[in-house]
């Protein structure tokens, strides 16, 4: 095989092996360093499919699907406690701005522009809350972190779908402190409950004593009123009538005083 045929076969072999595939969910940009026209990076996006390339040409591909990235960040909370916060961001490049993204940033856009802003947003948002509030308000914190990242990456040719506060890790000393604090809070709550019960019992006893006193007063007033009525109605004639009222008794009536009130004697059999 002469040299001309050898180079022809080599060129053909190289051509057969020079190609690139743009997969579904991706967008490509042609790169042509040499040529008469369309030299350099093409602004027109390349959609999914297989493309033959000369050995010196290339296609830069970018995923336009939503991708998630997880970050673990140490944070100092508002009450000066150090914790590790793990959060997930779901984002992608802006489909119509792939060319600008490649020219200004490049394929490592997450590490270059998103990651530092995401980590800074986590620290900034979480540091404004006390440690005990973080787990309770994780959804609110995640929303605030998302808003912060969107603001920090504005104009950077990326879009953020969501942020999820995935986990909060505490040191052993921190966990012990939390447990001790919760125990103290429970003791205080128990003491508060017992105090409320004691106050209620005292109030009940006071009301009962007041009710008993009022009942006694009512009884005394009724008895006094009854006695007054009896005294007013207990005349001499009434007593004489009562003395004669019983027909079964053997009685002797002996007049005594000026009112003729008898002494009633019931003789024994």
């Amino acid at each position: 095989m002469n040299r001309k045929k050898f180079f022809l076969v080599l060129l053909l072999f190289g051509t057969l092996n020079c190609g690139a595939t743009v997969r579904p969910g991706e967008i490509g940009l042609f790169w042509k360093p040499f040529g008469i026209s369309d030299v350099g990076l093409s602004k027109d996006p390349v959609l999914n499919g297989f493309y033959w390339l000369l050995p010196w040409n290339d296609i830069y591909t970018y995923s336009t699907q939503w991708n998630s990235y997880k970050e673990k960040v140490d944070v100092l909370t508002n009450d000066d406690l150090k914790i590790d916060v793990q959060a997930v961001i779901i984002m992608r490049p802006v489909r119509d701005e792939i060319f600008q993204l490649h020219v200004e940033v490049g394929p490592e856009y997450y590490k270059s522009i998103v990651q530092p802003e995401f980590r800074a947003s986590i620290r900034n948002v979480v540091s404004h809350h006390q440690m005990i509030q973080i787990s309770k308000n994780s959804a609110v914190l995640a929303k605030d972190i998302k808003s912060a990242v969107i603001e920090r990456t504005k104009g950077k040719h990326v879009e953020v779908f969501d942020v999820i506060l995935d986990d909060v890790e505490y040191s052993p000393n921190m966990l012990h402190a939390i447990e001790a604090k919760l125990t103290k809070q429970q003791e205080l709550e128990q003491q508060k409950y017992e105090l409320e019960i004691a106050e209620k019992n005292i109030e009940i006893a006071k009301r009962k004593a007041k009710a008993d006193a009022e009942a006694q007063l009512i009884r005394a007033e009724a008895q006094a009123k009854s006695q007054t009525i009896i005294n007013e109605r207990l005349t001499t004639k009434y007593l004489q009538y009562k003395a004669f009222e019983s027909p079964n008794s053997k009685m002797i009536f002996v007049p005594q005083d000026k009112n003729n009130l008898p002494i009633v004697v019931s003789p024994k059999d």
Side-chain angles (χ1 to χ4, degrees):
M1 182 181 295
N2 57 35
R3 182 177 297 179
K4 185 177 181 180
K5 290 182 177 179
F6 174 77
F7 282 110
L8 183 61
V9 172
L10 184 62
L11 179 61
L12 179 62
F13 180 78
T15 302
L16 291 174
N17 287 276
C18 289
T21 300
V22 180
R23 298 178 179 84
E26 293 182 339
I27 285 182
L29 297 172
F30 268 123
W31 166 248
K32 298 179 181 180
F34 308 108
I36 299 175
S37 62
D38 297 329
V39 178
L41 187 67
S42 174
K43 292 184 178 181
D44 297 327
V46 179
L47 303 181
N48 62 291
F50 179 80
Y51 298 87
W52 294 103
L53 298 173
L54 293 174
W56 50 83
N57 293 339
D58 199 359
I59 295 180
Y60 299 109
T61 58
Y62 286 82
S63 172
T64 57
Q65 296 179 328
W66 295 109
N67 293 301
S68 62
Y69 302 87
K70 183 180 291 187
E71 295 293 338
K72 185 176 182 180
V73 183
D74 58 300
V75 181
L76 190 64
T77 63
N78 190 38
D79 45 355
D80 295 328
L81 298 174
K82 186 177 180 181
I83 60 174
D84 290 329
V85 178
Q86 191 167 275
V88 176
I89 185 170
I90 303 173
M91 48 82 61
R92 69 180 179 183
V94 177
R95 185 182 180 89
D96 296 332
E97 300 176 12
I98 295 295
F99 176 80
Q100 293 88 339
L101 178 65
H102 183 78
V103 172
E104 298 175 14
V105 184
E108 297 296 322
Y109 62 88
Y110 175 76
K111 290 184 178 180
S112 299
I113 59 176
V114 180
Q115 185 183 50
E117 302 296 354
F118 182 35
R119 294 175 66 87
S121 298
I122 295 172
R123 284 196 177 96
N124 184 53
V125 171
V126 176
S127 65
H128 287 84
H129 294 76
Q130 294 185 352
M131 180 274 299
I132 198 170
Q133 298 174 337
I134 294 173
S135 296
K136 297 179 180 179
N137 302 323
S138 59
V140 176
L141 267 65
K143 184 179 179 180
D144 292 343
I145 294 171
K146 175 185 174 181
S147 300
V149 175
I150 292 175
E151 182 64 27
R152 287 171 173 265
T153 57
K154 185 179 295 184
K156 300 295 185 180
H157 317 297
V158 296
E159 55 181 331
V160 178
F161 176 72
D162 200 7
V163 168
I164 302 170
L165 204 60
D166 190 47
D167 190 22
V168 178
E169 296 181 7
Y170 308 98
S171 65
N173 292 336
M174 178 69 66
L175 292 174
H176 179 72
I178 293 173
E179 183 179 357
K181 185 175 182 179
L182 292 176
T183 302
K184 188 65 176 178
Q185 288 179 341
Q186 291 176 353
E187 291 176 353
L188 292 175
E189 289 295 329
Q190 181 64 26
Q191 292 176 1
K192 182 180 179 181
Y193 173 75
E194 292 176 354
L195 181 60
E196 290 177 352
I197 294 297
E199 290 176 348
K200 288 181 180 179
N201 289 336
I202 292 173
E203 183 65 24
I204 292 172
K206 287 181 178 179
R207 292 182 180 180
K208 185 178 179 181
K210 183 179 179 181
D212 291 343
E214 291 177 351
Q216 291 178 5
L217 180 61
I218 292 171
R219 286 195 295 268
E221 291 176 350
Q223 186 175 359
K225 186 175 181 181
S226 175
Q227 188 64 44
T228 301
I229 294 173
I230 292 173
N231 292 337
E232 291 176 353
R233 296 182 178 180
L234 194 62
T235 62
T236 302
K237 292 182 178 181
Y238 176 76
L239 293 175
Q240 289 176 351
Y241 167 76
K242 293 301 289 184
F244 289 102
E245 187 179 23
S246 179
N248 298 322
S249 300
K250 296 178 180 179
M251 302 178 184
I252 300 173
F253 302 98
V254 182
Q256 293 293 320
D257 55 15
K258 64 180 181 178
N259 294 321
N260 295 320
L261 182 65
I263 297 175
V264 181
V265 180
S266 178
K268 296 181 180 180
D269 294 336

